Amino acid sequence: MGTQEQNQNQMFYPHVSVDCVLMGAVDDKLSVLLVERQVAGSEEKHYKLPGSLIYENEDPDQAAQRVLFEATGLKRLALKQFRCFGSPERTKNKEDVQWLENAAKLKINRILTIAYLALCKMKKAELKEKGDTLIWAPVDELPHLPFDHREIIDAAVSEIRSWIDAEPRIVFDYLPAKFTAYQLRRTFEVIYNKPMDVRNFHKRMNAMQYVVLTDEMEKGVSHRAARYYRFDKVKYNKIHSKFNKI
Amino acid sequence: MGTQEQNQNQMFYPHVSVDCVLMGAVDDKLSVLLVERQVAGSEEKHYKLPGSLIYENEDPDQAAQRVLFEATGLKRLALKQFRCFGSPERTKNKEDVQWLENAAKLKINRILTIAYLALCKMKKAELKEKGDTLIWAPVDELPHLPFDHREIIDAAVSEIRSWIDAEPRIVFDYLPAKFTAYQLRRTFEVIYNKPMDVRNFHKRMNAMQYVVLTDEMEKGVSHRAARYYRFDKVKYNKIHSKFNKI
DNA sequence: CCAAAAGTGTTGGCCCTACACCCATGG
DNA sequence: CCATGGGTGTAGGGCCAACACTTTTGG
């Protein structure tokens, strides 16, 4: 570890947290989940990314799962660690630090955060049950956020696209078990923020051998009923196993 | 930050380090730079990734630059943070922890590390001057390494390829200012570990508008002299600016 | 019968791969 | 003159994007 002997007095123990960028589509806009935070002497609502300091003997990956479970009740999401944000500049805003010290009842000098991202299919309605302390904010209409949370969200949005390219599986976390071609296409359109040709998208979907037709159809719609497809995990794993990639 | 109020006694301050995977080609093999570490009561040489605990008020990115400067004398390398390794399991090997505590003269409970990677053109010969405490180890013939350093290196090798796809610039950090088509091709072959067709590679190189021909040639070689090319940073930046990508 | 969305094929361009021979130089 | 590596072009296949009409259903 280099020359730390000469710098022992400079050694220190930062706090380490995880922050989760949970993405979903609300009103056809790519949105992120934010949690309310109480700011002393302020009437308006303030929001931040769901996050937590990590516990002793807790793996950061587990901490991220815990944070999202506590916020949404969801378990075992496909969470991806995508970057550590550790600049001392993160805590340059005194208001943010003061809020954090009040909330954590700890003296905070510096805090590193490990950022995670996930896609999810939770609907606005389901979140209401958690008591109005959660909101979905469209990524291009974010409220004021503490620390570098905006920067974290920006990084997450560009990260999710390359993640999907490498692991298409994750978009199916965002969809119900049975879904229509339209739903899958809209998912891609929202995440990549561009329209996709319907016919070309069908071809692309056919090329995904792990997207299989079911014998169910939409019912009660005032137009030709769409077929339902499902994601075949076994076929997917066969195709995407590391073994095949070498 | 969730429910940390109820868990205050579980809050703790881990140590945070950076570890650097510096890659280069030695004897036509993709290799990583390792530094020697002294293990009490052992005659054989032990190695590890160059790394350091981070200082108070030090950005992890700066810490990584510092580590590589201290090890190699190189400054301002194109370093990329690629993952944080934070499992409590990292310190399960008591020998590793004991060695670290001796080296750092600190009691270590747990240590998170932020892993960085870079390509570099330093030659074996140049490293000798640092007094034999550094080695280049081929990635498929690594010695025993402490903690999860082997896992970190494996992750770095697969990471570097996708990084180059996104930012081809970095391969030129690995080459001298003037280089031949052969050198550039060998660089790609070593990093991707597969042979590349000479003609196709020339076409690919021509497509890189930022690789420009100079009017210099090889001298004193016992075969047709190769032309030297150079990397044109200005052209590269024009082509790869974020502005063009949206 | 009309509104609304579902579903379906073909063509052209681009890019990548495979492949073999002549050129310049030093010894 | 020969050994060594430098340098070049073409043809075929796969992948992606652009593009318009018919089908089914509920109201």
PDB file of all heavy atoms in Angstrom, chain B residues 192-217:
ATOM      1  N   TYR B 192      -6.684  -8.113 -27.012  1.00  0.00           N
ATOM      2  CA  TYR B 192      -7.848  -8.951 -27.281  1.00  0.00           C
ATOM      3  C   TYR B 192      -7.482 -10.427 -27.371  1.00  0.00           C
ATOM      4  O   TYR B 192      -8.342 -11.269 -27.564  1.00  0.00           O
ATOM      5  CB  TYR B 192      -8.553  -8.487 -28.560  1.00  0.00           C
ATOM      6  CG  TYR B 192      -9.277  -7.180 -28.354  1.00  0.00           C
ATOM      7  CD1 TYR B 192      -8.612  -5.965 -28.473  1.00  0.00           C
ATOM      8  CD2 TYR B 192     -10.625  -7.151 -27.995  1.00  0.00           C
ATOM      9  CE1 TYR B 192      -9.262  -4.764 -28.264  1.00  0.00           C
ATOM     10  CE2 TYR B 192     -11.289  -5.971 -27.783  1.00  0.00           C
ATOM     11  CZ  TYR B 192     -10.596  -4.771 -27.919  1.00  0.00           C
ATOM     12  OH  TYR B 192     -11.246  -3.593 -27.711  1.00  0.00           O
ATOM     13  N   ASN B 193      -6.198 -10.693 -27.286  1.00  0.00           N
ATOM     14  CA  ASN B 193      -5.702 -12.064 -27.303  1.00  0.00           C
ATOM     15  C   ASN B 193      -6.176 -12.867 -28.507  1.00  0.00           C
ATOM     16  O   ASN B 193      -6.622 -14.005 -28.379  1.00  0.00           O
ATOM     17  CB  ASN B 193      -6.090 -12.781 -26.000  1.00  0.00           C
ATOM     18  CG  ASN B 193      -5.337 -14.076 -25.828  1.00  0.00           C
ATOM     19  OD1 ASN B 193      -4.206 -14.215 -26.293  1.00  0.00           O
ATOM     20  ND2 ASN B 193      -5.970 -15.040 -25.183  1.00  0.00           N
ATOM     21  N   LYS B 194      -6.103 -12.235 -29.670  1.00  0.00           N
ATOM     22  CA  LYS B 194      -6.385 -12.988 -30.896  1.00  0.00           C
ATOM     23  C   LYS B 194      -5.687 -12.319 -32.075  1.00  0.00           C
ATOM     24  O   LYS B 194      -5.539 -11.099 -32.115  1.00  0.00           O
ATOM     25  CB  LYS B 194      -7.887 -13.112 -31.137  1.00  0.00           C
ATOM     26  CG  LYS B 194      -8.577 -11.820 -31.456  1.00  0.00           C
ATOM     27  CD  LYS B 194     -10.032 -12.077 -31.800  1.00  0.00           C
ATOM     28  CE  LYS B 194     -10.749 -10.729 -32.047  1.00  0.00           C
ATOM     29  NZ  LYS B 194     -12.206 -10.857 -32.137  1.00  0.00           N
ATOM     30  N   PRO B 195      -5.268 -13.129 -33.047  1.00  0.00           N
ATOM     31  CA  PRO B 195      -4.587 -12.571 -34.211  1.00  0.00           C
ATOM     32  C   PRO B 195      -5.555 -11.777 -35.080  1.00  0.00           C
ATOM     33  O   PRO B 195      -6.753 -12.082 -35.125  1.00  0.00           O
ATOM     34  CB  PRO B 195      -4.083 -13.816 -34.953  1.00  0.00           C
ATOM     35  CG  PRO B 195      -4.971 -14.914 -34.497  1.00  0.00           C
ATOM     36  CD  PRO B 195      -5.400 -14.577 -33.107  1.00  0.00           C
ATOM     37  N   MET B 196      -5.028 -10.753 -35.741  1.00  0.00           N
ATOM     38  CA  MET B 196      -5.881  -9.950 -36.620  1.00  0.00           C
ATOM     39  C   MET B 196      -5.287  -9.922 -38.023  1.00  0.00           C
ATOM     40  O   MET B 196      -4.087  -9.814 -38.204  1.00  0.00           O
ATOM     41  CB  MET B 196      -5.998  -8.529 -36.064  1.00  0.00           C
ATOM     42  CG  MET B 196      -6.701  -8.539 -34.709  1.00  0.00           C
ATOM     43  SD  MET B 196      -7.116  -6.914 -34.101  1.00  0.00           S
ATOM     44  CE  MET B 196      -7.798  -7.384 -32.487  1.00  0.00           C
ATOM     45  N   ASP B 197      -6.160  -9.986 -38.991  1.00  0.00           N
ATOM     46  CA  ASP B 197      -5.749  -9.956 -40.398  1.00  0.00           C
ATOM     47  C   ASP B 197      -5.062  -8.632 -40.727  1.00  0.00           C
ATOM     48  O   ASP B 197      -5.579  -7.560 -40.431  1.00  0.00           O
ATOM     49  CB  ASP B 197      -6.986 -10.144 -41.265  1.00  0.00           C
ATOM     50  CG  ASP B 197      -6.656 -10.147 -42.740  1.00  0.00           C
ATOM     51  OD1 ASP B 197      -6.627  -9.060 -43.353  1.00  0.00           O
ATOM     52  OD2 ASP B 197      -6.408 -11.231 -43.273  1.00  0.00           O
ATOM     53  N   VAL B 198      -3.891  -8.730 -41.390  1.00  0.00           N
ATOM     54  CA  VAL B 198      -3.092  -7.524 -41.656  1.00  0.00           C
ATOM     55  C   VAL B 198      -3.843  -6.533 -42.532  1.00  0.00           C
ATOM     56  O   VAL B 198      -3.911  -5.342 -42.229  1.00  0.00           O
ATOM     57  CB  VAL B 198      -1.761  -7.892 -42.333  1.00  0.00           C
ATOM     58  CG1 VAL B 198      -0.932  -6.647 -42.580  1.00  0.00           C
ATOM     59  CG2 VAL B 198      -0.984  -8.870 -41.474  1.00  0.00           C
ATOM     60  N   ARG B 199      -4.393  -7.011 -43.626  1.00  0.00           N
ATOM     61  CA  ARG B 199      -5.076  -6.091 -44.535  1.00  0.00           C
ATOM     62  C   ARG B 199      -6.300  -5.464 -43.902  1.00  0.00           C
ATOM     63  O   ARG B 199      -6.524  -4.261 -43.996  1.00  0.00           O
ATOM     64  CB  ARG B 199      -5.481  -6.823 -45.814  1.00  0.00           C
ATOM     65  CG  ARG B 199      -4.358  -6.892 -46.788  1.00  0.00           C
ATOM     66  CD  ARG B 199      -4.746  -7.717 -47.969  1.00  0.00           C
ATOM     67  NE  ARG B 199      -4.883  -9.113 -47.598  1.00  0.00           N
ATOM     68  CZ  ARG B 199      -5.035 -10.084 -48.483  1.00  0.00           C
ATOM     69  NH1 ARG B 199      -5.091  -9.795 -49.756  1.00  0.00           N
ATOM     70  NH2 ARG B 199      -5.124 -11.323 -48.088  1.00  0.00           N
ATOM     71  N   ASN B 200      -7.088  -6.292 -43.253  1.00  0.00           N
ATOM     72  CA  ASN B 200      -8.270  -5.746 -42.599  1.00  0.00           C
ATOM     73  C   ASN B 200      -7.878  -4.730 -41.537  1.00  0.00           C
ATOM     74  O   ASN B 200      -8.556  -3.717 -41.337  1.00  0.00           O
ATOM     75  CB  ASN B 200      -9.095  -6.866 -41.976  1.00  0.00           C
ATOM     76  CG  ASN B 200      -9.713  -7.743 -43.044  1.00  0.00           C
ATOM     77  OD1 ASN B 200      -9.888  -7.310 -44.187  1.00  0.00           O
ATOM     78  ND2 ASN B 200     -10.024  -8.976 -42.670  1.00  0.00           N
ATOM     79  N   PHE B 201      -6.757  -4.994 -40.876  1.00  0.00           N
ATOM     80  CA  PHE B 201      -6.349  -4.060 -39.846  1.00  0.00           C
ATOM     81  C   PHE B 201      -5.960  -2.717 -40.454  1.00  0.00           C
ATOM     82  O   PHE B 201      -6.274  -1.670 -39.902  1.00  0.00           O
ATOM     83  CB  PHE B 201      -5.201  -4.607 -39.007  1.00  0.00           C
ATOM     84  CG  PHE B 201      -4.911  -3.743 -37.827  1.00  0.00           C
ATOM     85  CD1 PHE B 201      -5.688  -3.830 -36.680  1.00  0.00           C
ATOM     86  CD2 PHE B 201      -3.894  -2.801 -37.875  1.00  0.00           C
ATOM     87  CE1 PHE B 201      -5.446  -3.001 -35.607  1.00  0.00           C
ATOM     88  CE2 PHE B 201      -3.649  -1.967 -36.796  1.00  0.00           C
ATOM     89  CZ  PHE B 201      -4.418  -2.065 -35.653  1.00  0.00           C
ATOM     90  N   HIS B 202      -5.303  -2.747 -41.618  1.00  0.00           N
ATOM     91  CA  HIS B 202      -4.969  -1.477 -42.284  1.00  0.00           C
ATOM     92  C   HIS B 202      -6.233  -0.690 -42.618  1.00  0.00           C
ATOM     93  O   HIS B 202      -6.284   0.527 -42.433  1.00  0.00           O
ATOM     94  CB  HIS B 202      -4.158  -1.745 -43.553  1.00  0.00           C
ATOM     95  CG  HIS B 202      -2.691  -1.801 -43.303  1.00  0.00           C
ATOM     96  ND1 HIS B 202      -1.860  -0.736 -43.483  1.00  0.00           N
ATOM     97  CD2 HIS B 202      -1.908  -2.804 -42.843  1.00  0.00           C
ATOM     98  CE1 HIS B 202      -0.624  -1.078 -43.160  1.00  0.00           C
ATOM     99  NE2 HIS B 202      -0.626  -2.335 -42.779  1.00  0.00           N
ATOM    100  N   LYS B 203      -7.237  -1.398 -43.085  1.00  0.00           N
ATOM    101  CA  LYS B 203      -8.493  -0.697 -43.394  1.00  0.00           C
ATOM    102  C   LYS B 203      -9.079  -0.081 -42.144  1.00  0.00           C
ATOM    103  O   LYS B 203      -9.510   1.065 -42.130  1.00  0.00           O
ATOM    104  CB  LYS B 203      -9.484  -1.675 -44.026  1.00  0.00           C
ATOM    105  CG  LYS B 203      -9.298  -1.820 -45.515  1.00  0.00           C
ATOM    106  CD  LYS B 203     -10.313  -2.775 -46.108  1.00  0.00           C
ATOM    107  CE  LYS B 203     -10.017  -4.215 -45.691  1.00  0.00           C
ATOM    108  NZ  LYS B 203     -10.890  -5.172 -46.371  1.00  0.00           N
ATOM    109  N   ARG B 204      -9.069  -0.857 -41.087  1.00  0.00           N
ATOM    110  CA  ARG B 204      -9.607  -0.370 -39.814  1.00  0.00           C
ATOM    111  C   ARG B 204      -8.836   0.861 -39.361  1.00  0.00           C
ATOM    112  O   ARG B 204      -9.424   1.830 -38.860  1.00  0.00           O
ATOM    113  CB  ARG B 204      -9.488  -1.499 -38.787  1.00  0.00           C
ATOM    114  CG  ARG B 204     -10.012  -1.149 -37.421  1.00  0.00           C
ATOM    115  CD  ARG B 204      -9.983  -2.381 -36.531  1.00  0.00           C
ATOM    116  NE  ARG B 204     -10.199  -2.045 -35.145  1.00  0.00           N
ATOM    117  CZ  ARG B 204     -10.172  -2.922 -34.155  1.00  0.00           C
ATOM    118  NH1 ARG B 204      -9.933  -4.203 -34.421  1.00  0.00           N
ATOM    119  NH2 ARG B 204     -10.370  -2.547 -32.921  1.00  0.00           N
ATOM    120  N   MET B 205      -7.526   0.823 -39.543  1.00  0.00           N
ATOM    121  CA  MET B 205      -6.687   1.944 -39.128  1.00  0.00           C
ATOM    122  C   MET B 205      -6.987   3.161 -39.992  1.00  0.00           C
ATOM    123  O   MET B 205      -7.054   4.280 -39.484  1.00  0.00           O
ATOM    124  CB  MET B 205      -5.223   1.530 -39.254  1.00  0.00           C
ATOM    125  CG  MET B 205      -4.282   2.303 -38.392  1.00  0.00           C
ATOM    126  SD  MET B 205      -2.617   1.586 -38.439  1.00  0.00           S
ATOM    127  CE  MET B 205      -2.071   2.031 -40.069  1.00  0.00           C
ATOM    128  N   ASN B 206      -7.182   2.936 -41.289  1.00  0.00           N
ATOM    129  CA  ASN B 206      -7.527   4.063 -42.159  1.00  0.00           C
ATOM    130  C   ASN B 206      -8.840   4.703 -41.746  1.00  0.00           C
ATOM    131  O   ASN B 206      -9.018   5.910 -41.873  1.00  0.00           O
ATOM    132  CB  ASN B 206      -7.616   3.597 -43.618  1.00  0.00           C
ATOM    133  CG  ASN B 206      -6.245   3.374 -44.209  1.00  0.00           C
ATOM    134  OD1 ASN B 206      -5.267   3.995 -43.778  1.00  0.00           O
ATOM    135  ND2 ASN B 206      -6.161   2.487 -45.178  1.00  0.00           N
ATOM    136  N   ALA B 207      -9.749   3.866 -41.245  1.00  0.00           N
ATOM    137  CA  ALA B 207     -11.039   4.405 -40.819  1.00  0.00           C
ATOM    138  C   ALA B 207     -10.886   5.289 -39.581  1.00  0.00           C
ATOM    139  O   ALA B 207     -11.725   6.146 -39.326  1.00  0.00           O
ATOM    140  CB  ALA B 207     -12.013   3.266 -40.540  1.00  0.00           C
ATOM    141  N   MET B 208      -9.821   5.073 -38.829  1.00  0.00           N
ATOM    142  CA  MET B 208      -9.567   5.947 -37.680  1.00  0.00           C
ATOM    143  C   MET B 208      -8.910   7.217 -38.208  1.00  0.00           C
ATOM    144  O   MET B 208      -7.696   7.266 -38.412  1.00  0.00           O
ATOM    145  CB  MET B 208      -8.602   5.277 -36.694  1.00  0.00           C
ATOM    146  CG  MET B 208      -9.069   3.950 -36.138  1.00  0.00           C
ATOM    147  SD  MET B 208      -7.801   3.278 -35.007  1.00  0.00           S
ATOM    148  CE  MET B 208      -8.322   1.569 -34.853  1.00  0.00           C
ATOM    149  N   GLN B 209      -9.687   8.238 -38.415  1.00  0.00           N
ATOM    150  CA  GLN B 209      -9.159   9.449 -39.048  1.00  0.00           C
ATOM    151  C   GLN B 209      -8.133  10.157 -38.178  1.00  0.00           C
ATOM    152  O   GLN B 209      -7.403  11.017 -38.651  1.00  0.00           O
ATOM    153  CB  GLN B 209     -10.302  10.396 -39.388  1.00  0.00           C
ATOM    154  CG  GLN B 209     -11.240   9.805 -40.426  1.00  0.00           C
ATOM    155  CD  GLN B 209     -12.508  10.625 -40.574  1.00  0.00           C
ATOM    156  OE1 GLN B 209     -12.521  11.820 -40.344  1.00  0.00           O
ATOM    157  NE2 GLN B 209     -13.589   9.961 -40.954  1.00  0.00           N
ATOM    158  N   TYR B 210      -8.100   9.804 -36.933  1.00  0.00           N
ATOM    159  CA  TYR B 210      -7.180  10.461 -35.994  1.00  0.00           C
ATOM    160  C   TYR B 210      -5.832   9.737 -35.949  1.00  0.00           C
ATOM    161  O   TYR B 210      -4.964  10.133 -35.196  1.00  0.00           O
ATOM    162  CB  TYR B 210      -7.801  10.530 -34.600  1.00  0.00           C
ATOM    163  CG  TYR B 210      -8.438   9.235 -34.179  1.00  0.00           C
ATOM    164  CD1 TYR B 210      -7.683   8.226 -33.590  1.00  0.00           C
ATOM    165  CD2 TYR B 210      -9.789   9.007 -34.389  1.00  0.00           C
ATOM    166  CE1 TYR B 210      -8.258   7.023 -33.233  1.00  0.00           C
ATOM    167  CE2 TYR B 210     -10.380   7.818 -34.028  1.00  0.00           C
ATOM    168  CZ  TYR B 210      -9.611   6.832 -33.451  1.00  0.00           C
ATOM    169  OH  TYR B 210     -10.175   5.641 -33.098  1.00  0.00           O
ATOM    170  N   VAL B 211      -5.683   8.659 -36.728  1.00  0.00           N
ATOM    171  CA  VAL B 211      -4.360   8.035 -36.887  1.00  0.00           C
ATOM    172  C   VAL B 211      -3.791   8.548 -38.201  1.00  0.00           C
ATOM    173  O   VAL B 211      -4.275   8.181 -39.270  1.00  0.00           O
ATOM    174  CB  VAL B 211      -4.452   6.510 -36.909  1.00  0.00           C
ATOM    175  CG1 VAL B 211      -3.100   5.903 -37.226  1.00  0.00           C
ATOM    176  CG2 VAL B 211      -4.959   5.992 -35.575  1.00  0.00           C
ATOM    177  N   VAL B 212      -2.805   9.447 -38.126  1.00  0.00           N
ATOM    178  CA  VAL B 212      -2.338  10.108 -39.345  1.00  0.00           C
ATOM    179  C   VAL B 212      -0.891   9.720 -39.664  1.00  0.00           C
ATOM    180  O   VAL B 212      -0.075   9.523 -38.771  1.00  0.00           O
ATOM    181  CB  VAL B 212      -2.479  11.646 -39.248  1.00  0.00           C
ATOM    182  CG1 VAL B 212      -3.928  12.039 -39.074  1.00  0.00           C
ATOM    183  CG2 VAL B 212      -1.631  12.201 -38.128  1.00  0.00           C
ATOM    184  N   LEU B 213      -0.664   9.619 -40.956  1.00  0.00           N
ATOM    185  CA  LEU B 213       0.657   9.267 -41.475  1.00  0.00           C
ATOM    186  C   LEU B 213       1.624  10.417 -41.227  1.00  0.00           C
ATOM    187  O   LEU B 213       1.278  11.566 -41.426  1.00  0.00           O
ATOM    188  CB  LEU B 213       0.499   9.035 -42.975  1.00  0.00           C
ATOM    189  CG  LEU B 213       1.576   8.294 -43.740  1.00  0.00           C
ATOM    190  CD1 LEU B 213       1.886   6.968 -43.084  1.00  0.00           C
ATOM    191  CD2 LEU B 213       1.081   8.077 -45.165  1.00  0.00           C
ATOM    192  N   THR B 214       2.839  10.101 -40.802  1.00  0.00           N
ATOM    193  CA  THR B 214       3.886  11.125 -40.763  1.00  0.00           C
ATOM    194  C   THR B 214       4.780  10.902 -41.970  1.00  0.00           C
ATOM    195  O   THR B 214       4.604   9.932 -42.711  1.00  0.00           O
ATOM    196  CB  THR B 214       4.740  11.017 -39.488  1.00  0.00           C
ATOM    197  OG1 THR B 214       5.530   9.819 -39.559  1.00  0.00           O
ATOM    198  CG2 THR B 214       3.867  10.948 -38.246  1.00  0.00           C
ATOM    199  N   ASP B 215       5.763  11.786 -42.174  1.00  0.00           N
ATOM    200  CA  ASP B 215       6.673  11.558 -43.310  1.00  0.00           C
ATOM    201  C   ASP B 215       7.947  10.838 -42.870  1.00  0.00           C
ATOM    202  O   ASP B 215       8.922  10.778 -43.601  1.00  0.00           O
ATOM    203  CB  ASP B 215       7.000  12.878 -44.020  1.00  0.00           C
ATOM    204  CG  ASP B 215       7.398  13.966 -43.043  1.00  0.00           C
ATOM    205  OD1 ASP B 215       7.583  13.645 -41.846  1.00  0.00           O
ATOM    206  OD2 ASP B 215       7.508  15.124 -43.461  1.00  0.00           O
ATOM    207  N   GLU B 216       7.906  10.272 -41.679  1.00  0.00           N
ATOM    208  CA  GLU B 216       9.072   9.519 -41.216  1.00  0.00           C
ATOM    209  C   GLU B 216       8.892   8.026 -41.481  1.00  0.00           C
ATOM    210  O   GLU B 216       7.772   7.535 -41.550  1.00  0.00           O
ATOM    211  CB  GLU B 216       9.296   9.762 -39.724  1.00  0.00           C
ATOM    212  CG  GLU B 216       9.722  11.208 -39.417  1.00  0.00           C
ATOM    213  CD  GLU B 216       9.833  11.446 -37.936  1.00  0.00           C
ATOM    214  OE1 GLU B 216      10.634  10.751 -37.282  1.00  0.00           O
ATOM    215  OE2 GLU B 216       9.101  12.302 -37.409  1.00  0.00           O
ATOM    216  N   MET B 217      10.038   7.360 -41.587  1.00  0.00           N
ATOM    217  CA  MET B 217      10.037   5.922 -41.837  1.00  0.00           C
ATOM    218  C   MET B 217      11.004   5.252 -40.866  1.00  0.00           C
ATOM    219  O   MET B 217      11.916   5.890 -40.342  1.00  0.00           O
ATOM    220  CB  MET B 217      10.513   5.623 -43.262  1.00  0.00           C
ATOM    221  CG  MET B 217       9.871   6.440 -44.356  1.00  0.00           C
ATOM    222  SD  MET B 217       8.568   5.589 -45.229  1.00  0.00           S
ATOM    223  CE  MET B 217       9.365   4.152 -45.901  1.00  0.00           C
TER     224      MET B 217
END
